[in-house]
Amino acid sequence: MTRSTIPVFDGHNDALLSAHPAGRGRDIVQKGEEGHFDVPRAMEGGFAGGLFAIYVPAEAKTDSFRITTTENGWEVDYANPLSFDYASSFTNASIDLLTDAIARSEGKLRLVTTVEEYEEARRAEAIAAVLHFEGAEAIDPGLESLDKYYERGLRSLGIVWSRPNAFGFGVPFKFPSSPDTGPGLTPEGIQLVKRCNELGILIDLSHLNEQGFWDVEKTSNAPLVASHSAVHALTPTARNLTDRQLDAIKASGGIVGANFSVSDIRADARDDTDTPIADLVRHISYMVERMGIEHVGFGSDFDGAHIPAAIKDASGLQRIIEALEHAGFSSAEINKIAHENWLRVLKVTWG
Ligand code: ZN
């Protein structure tokens, strides 16, 4: 028996970093073998659309991502802040890369800024790219550039990556660890949340520490969103969400995009791709039980993390759908997780 492909909306990918010379410098329009996302492989997997992150890597080559083994886990050196000028030029170059990929895609990749545009892209069988920043370093504290990026299509913003900036403090990579690792948002961070609400820019809580999370929860009038996160009760990395955080996301009508990153979904938090899809299903099932079916989606972290070898890349998305079927989810439930929940949240947030 063959079933039709279920379309997937994905909360997070780093394909634009993969396309940048500072990443792999690879073509994300033509089919390749490297990395996780390119247009042909995404189409094969039923990837209908997603948040396309602009992640700005460390400025100095000496700021490497160094992992240290601890007595019962691991930790990574807390990353240094980025300068505004460097972050701005990297961000603009990454937007240009997306524009270029869209232009070369023969209509198969589109920038979307509204749910109507998303639906048009679906009808045209094009992949819908939502522009997202993973960290607000390219935004000036006076927020003038926020409006300019909005004009260029920005519709989703992570206040921080796992480093400090003018607006807040990212959670360090650490296992095991509480997400409560530092202070909350700065006064500029609170203003940023309010301005995103006014403009209708989604605010992403993934990579934010717990104090910052609660500051957004108190300030924002939009559904709370963690674009690529997993469950702290199952895998206690600092990046994952506690039950209280999951409850707050549910109460706001928001969503968690379940992260595929193996070090965030394995019980032992090892960075080992020999990880069954069942580990991802375990996190999704926990979230569904805790928050209800309406508040769970996908957040692959394609090209930003190691994912289970059985998924391999964007072409393997339907293997997760099959695993959810085997776990007993109905097709109505799977459609909610795969795309409907994300679309509901985007509609409410963008207005
Ligand atoms: Zn990330």
Side-chain angles (χ1 to χ4, degrees):
M1 190 188 89
T2 54
R3 58 153 180 79
S4 57
T5 300
I6 305 278
V8 169
F9 187 93
D10 177 35
H12 190 90
N13 75 67
D14 286 299
L16 294 175
L17 175 65
S18 194
H20 194 285
R24 293 167 184 259
R26 68 183 180 86
D27 187 357
I28 59 166
V29 174
Q30 305 298 325
K31 185 162 181 171
E33 294 290 324
E34 266 193 299
H36 296 143
F37 178 97
D38 56 44
V39 170
R41 282 186 285 172
M43 293 190 117
E44 218 178 293
F47 187 110
L51 304 185
F52 280 61
I54 292 182
Y55 163 78
V56 184
E59 194 162 0
K61 287 270 177 277
T62 48
D63 286 358
S64 62
F65 195 85
R66 203 178 64 214
I67 302 166
T68 314
T69 304
T70 58
E71 204 183 317
N72 54 349
W74 46 260
E75 60 185 321
V76 174
D77 295 349
Y78 195 40
N80 291 318
L82 305 175
S83 76
F84 172 71
D85 286 347
Y86 161 72
S88 299
S89 75
F90 196 98
T91 296
N92 285 308
S94 300
I95 297 175
D96 292 344
L97 282 172
L98 176 61
T99 308
D100 170 69
I102 289 168
R104 291 186 295 109
S105 74
E106 296 171 339
K108 295 195 180 82
L109 183 64
R110 286 191 190 185
L111 180 69
V112 304
T113 58
T114 64
V115 170
E116 291 70 32
E117 286 174 4
Y118 172 84
E119 280 157 3
E120 273 169 40
R122 289 301 302 141
R123 283 193 290 274
E125 294 179 15
I127 289 173
V130 175
L131 185 58
H132 168 85
F133 291 176
E134 189 171 24
E137 280 83 0
I139 315 280
D140 60 293
L143 308 183
E144 275 170 41
S145 52
L146 184 66
D147 289 65
K148 292 194 187 117
Y149 288 122
Y150 181 87
E151 291 301 318
R152 291 195 76 182
L154 182 70
R155 289 297 180 275
S156 176
L157 174 67
I159 298 170
V160 290
W161 183 69
S162 290
R163 56 164 72 100
N165 68 20
F167 305 101
F169 299 83
V171 74
F173 295 97
K174 193 174 178 192
F175 169 83
S177 170
S178 154
D180 190 8
T181 57
L185 298 188
T186 65
E188 290 79 10
I190 300 288
Q191 290 312 311
L192 178 63
V193 170
K194 290 180 176 165
R195 186 66 186 138
C196 283
N197 282 167
E198 285 167 10
L199 288 168
I201 293 176
L202 181 148
I203 298 157
D204 181 14
L205 297 158
S206 289
H207 290 280
L208 187 57
N209 68 13
E210 191 176 355
Q211 295 293 326
F213 177 100
W214 295 117
D215 283 342
V216 175
E217 191 261 346
K218 281 192 291 258
T219 309
S220 178
N221 61 22
L224 298 176
V225 175
S227 68
H228 58 307
S229 291
V231 174
H232 195 270
L234 299 178
T235 309
T237 61
R239 269 268 281 119
N240 283 344
L241 299 164
T242 65
D243 288 349
R244 255 188 88 212
Q245 290 176 305
L246 295 175
D247 294 348
I249 290 169
K250 172 195 165 82
S252 75
I255 191 169
V256 179
N259 196 349
F260 303 176
S261 170
V262 291
S263 59
D264 284 307
I265 60 172
R266 290 173 64 98
D268 62 9
R270 276 176 48 212
D271 197 19
D272 181 354
T273 59
D274 186 13
T275 297
I277 296 178
D279 276 2
L280 172 58
V281 172
R282 214 159 46 91
H283 281 260
I284 291 173
S285 299
Y286 186 100
M287 287 194 259
V288 168
E289 210 152 288
R290 183 88 199 178
M291 299 191 287
I293 193 74
E294 313 286 332
H295 306 288
V296 187
F298 292 150
S300 71
D301 214 353
F302 285 145
D303 289 308
H306 293 124
I307 65 171
I311 301 171
K312 190 170 174 277
D313 56 31
S315 70
L317 281 168
Q318 299 299 309
R319 280 177 220 137
I320 305 168
I321 304 289
E322 283 153 23
L324 290 172
E325 282 170 350
H326 288 139
F329 287 94
S330 70
S331 73
E333 289 171 326
I334 290 171
N335 274 299
K336 287 184 179 190
I337 295 170
H339 59 103
E340 288 173 6
N341 291 339
W342 265 115
L343 267 294
R344 180 198 76 238
V345 169
L346 294 179
K347 200 170 219 166
V348 173
T349 307
W350 291 346

